[in-house]
Amino acid sequence: MIIMEFEELKKVWDAQTDQPLYAINEKAMYNLILSKKKQAHHITNISELLLIFVNMGSGILILGINLFKPGGNISLYILPAWMLATALYTLVRRIQRIKGNQQFDRSIIGDLSHAISMASYQVHISQIMRWNILPIAAFTLLGLWEGGKPIWIVVIVLLFFALTYYAGGWEHNIYKRKKRELEILQKKLSNES
């Protein structure tokens, strides 16, 4: 087998494809960016809807139980108010995000900027919701304690919230990594220009 020199291979490549060996395939790059943008949009959309419906549903359920149960404690009234406020906050942020989507142009750079914007929003919302576990845990544990529940139930619920907080950190790091990948891609594209 004859080994060709690199320059000869490059000449063959250039002649066959009409593209330089080191050229960026813009169509493939644009498809990659659109794919990442679509993925970021999908994750953000699902996250927002879950946060809205889970907090709203849980808040209404806990409030309903407390209203029909005599002698409820104050923590179990604050908890549903907090959850309903969280659902409202997420809904308002969702509306703001959707309105802000129109500010990006339909180009490689514009779609990449849009994907980074959604990834940044997802990182921000996941961090807020991770911290949101703490007041929900505190109100729940206070409600159990004030309600005279056995200590083992309080410990199990505490462990559940600790695991939830840990899983929230793991999820948050995934979103940060995806955002970082997009920022690296943006930096590479800006260096190529």
Side-chain angles (χ1 to χ4, degrees):
M1 189 165 148
I2 300 173
I3 300 175
M4 292 186 181
E5 301 245 351
F6 178 74
E7 288 301 318
E8 292 176 45
L9 283 172
K10 187 174 181 310
K11 286 178 188 174
V12 170
W13 173 268
D14 290 346
Q16 287 178 348
T17 63
D18 252 356
Q19 290 182 354
L21 184 60
Y22 297 114
I24 293 175
N25 184 336
E26 286 188 26
K27 184 172 173 57
M29 179 66 67
Y30 191 57
N31 287 338
L32 173 70
I33 290 169
L34 287 178
S35 170
K36 290 194 175 281
K37 178 180 147 186
K38 183 178 177 184
Q39 182 184 30
H41 181 265
H42 179 74
I43 289 170
T44 301
N45 212 21
I46 296 294
S47 297
E48 286 171 332
L49 293 174
L50 275 173
L51 287 169
I52 292 167
F53 290 120
V54 166
N55 278 290
M56 189 179 296
S58 299
I60 290 170
L61 180 68
I62 293 168
L63 184 62
I65 289 171
N66 286 334
L67 290 175
F68 293 110
K69 184 180 107 180
N73 55 51
I74 190 72
S75 299
L76 292 180
Y77 284 103
I78 296 173
L79 176 62
W82 182 269
M83 294 177 96
L84 291 170
T86 300
L88 182 62
Y89 170 80
T90 307
L91 179 63
V92 168
R93 293 287 298 175
R94 176 179 167 79
I95 291 167
Q96 289 172 342
R97 178 188 63 81
I98 290 170
K99 284 182 180 178
N101 285 348
Q102 280 77 36
Q103 70 184 6
F104 299 98
D105 62 340
R106 296 291 309 202
S107 66
I108 290 178
I109 300 299
D111 281 333
L112 182 56
S113 296
H114 189 197
I116 290 171
S117 172
M118 279 193 290
S120 298
Y121 173 80
Q122 183 63 40
V123 166
H124 177 72
I125 213 81
S126 75
Q127 183 65 47
I128 288 174
M129 290 307 136
R130 183 174 186 222
W131 285 110
N132 191 45
I133 293 168
L134 299 177
I136 290 174
F139 293 133
T140 302
L141 292 170
L142 278 172
L144 292 173
W145 186 265
E146 290 171 356
K149 299 296 179 197
I151 192 73
W152 64 270
I153 290 177
V154 175
V155 169
I156 289 173
V157 171
L158 178 63
L159 287 174
F160 169 77
F161 280 115
L163 286 173
T164 304
Y165 186 79
Y166 175 77
W170 176 75
E171 178 188 28
H172 179 69
N173 287 333
I174 290 172
Y175 297 141
K176 282 175 33 179
R177 193 168 40 254
K178 289 184 180 205
K179 177 186 173 198
R180 200 170 320 118
E181 288 172 5
L182 291 168
E183 289 171 337
I184 289 169
L185 181 58
Q186 185 180 44
K187 187 175 181 181
K188 284 181 182 180
L189 283 177
S190 67
N191 288 341
E192 290 291 325
S193 311

